[in-house]
Each structure stands twice: as C-alpha cells, then as structure tokens.
C-alpha cells in the first residue's frame, strides 16, 4: 500500500473521504474544552508534499539563523 501513496492526493484515491474526515477532526477536536472551531488556510484545501517540504526547509533555515544569532529571538528561549 505504501508504494501506491506518494503524495497526499493519492490518499483520497486509495481511501476516499479520509482527508475530509481528518480535516473535520482537526476542525472540531478542541471544542469539548470550550474552544472555537479551528480555521484552516488555503480555504481548507490540502497541500501537497512539495509545499510541505518548502515549509520545512524555510522553517529550518529560520531556525538556523535564530541559533546563529542572525534573527532576533524576541521572547523565545533558545538555550
């Protein structure tokens, strides 16, 4: 099965309605604690693995700059 799924959109083909179920779980899971429904960017559209990799790379570069003293940590503790 893993060989058939290389990106998030393959999940919908292999397991119909799974992505919408996951999205709804993340939308509602905090409401029992009295918190509001979660909102999602991109109008709730699922992003692909290329987008996820770009976010991870960007975040990692920002972290490296923070650790190197090239970014203001603000109130973050960076040990």
């Amino acid at each position: 099965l893993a060989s058939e799924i290389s990106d998030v959109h393959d999940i919908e083909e292999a397991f119909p309605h799974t992505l919408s179920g996951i999205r709804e779980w993340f939308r509602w899971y905090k409401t029992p604690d009295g918190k509001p429904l979660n909102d999602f960017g991109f109008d709730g559209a699922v992003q692909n693995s290329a987008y996820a990799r770009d976010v991870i790379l960007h975040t990692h570069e920002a972290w490296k700059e923070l650790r190197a003293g090239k970014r203001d940590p603000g109130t973050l503790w960076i040990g």
Side-chain angles (χ1 to χ4, degrees), residues 18-28 40 43-46:
T18 298
L19 295 177
S20 62
I22 292 169
R23 183 184 309 108
E24 286 305 301
W25 186 88
F26 275 107
R27 183 182 317 280
W28 286 90
F40 301 101
D43 293 323
V46 176

Side-chain angles (χ1 to χ4, degrees), residues 1 5 8-22:
L1 181 62
I5 299 174
V8 70
H9 299 292
D10 298 332
I11 295 170
E12 195 63 30
E13 291 178 24
F15 303 101
H17 311 293
T18 298
L19 295 177
S20 62
I22 292 169

Side-chain angles (χ1 to χ4, degrees), residues 14 33 44 51 58:
D33 294 334
Y51 180 81
H58 175 78

Side-chain angles (χ1 to χ4, degrees), residues 3 9 16 19 24 31 41 48 50 61 67 73 75:
S3 64
H9 299 292
L19 295 177
E24 286 305 301
T31 60
N48 63 21
E61 289 302 317
R67 295 293 295 162
T75 60

Side-chain angles (χ1 to χ4, degrees), residues 20-77:
S20 62
I22 292 169
R23 183 184 309 108
E24 286 305 301
W25 186 88
F26 275 107
R27 183 182 317 280
W28 286 90
Y29 84 103
K30 292 182 181 180
T31 60
D33 294 334
K35 296 178 181 175
L37 292 173
N38 285 321
D39 286 327
F40 301 101
F42 306 102
D43 293 323
V46 176
Q47 301 303 301
N48 63 21
S49 61
Y51 180 81
R53 274 191 291 277
D54 287 344
V55 170
I56 292 166
L57 289 173
H58 175 78
T59 304
H60 184 62
E61 289 302 317
W63 174 80
K64 289 192 302 188
E65 290 175 7
L66 184 66
R67 295 293 295 162
K70 296 177 182 177
R71 285 186 179 238
D72 178 18
T75 60
L76 291 175
W77 178 81

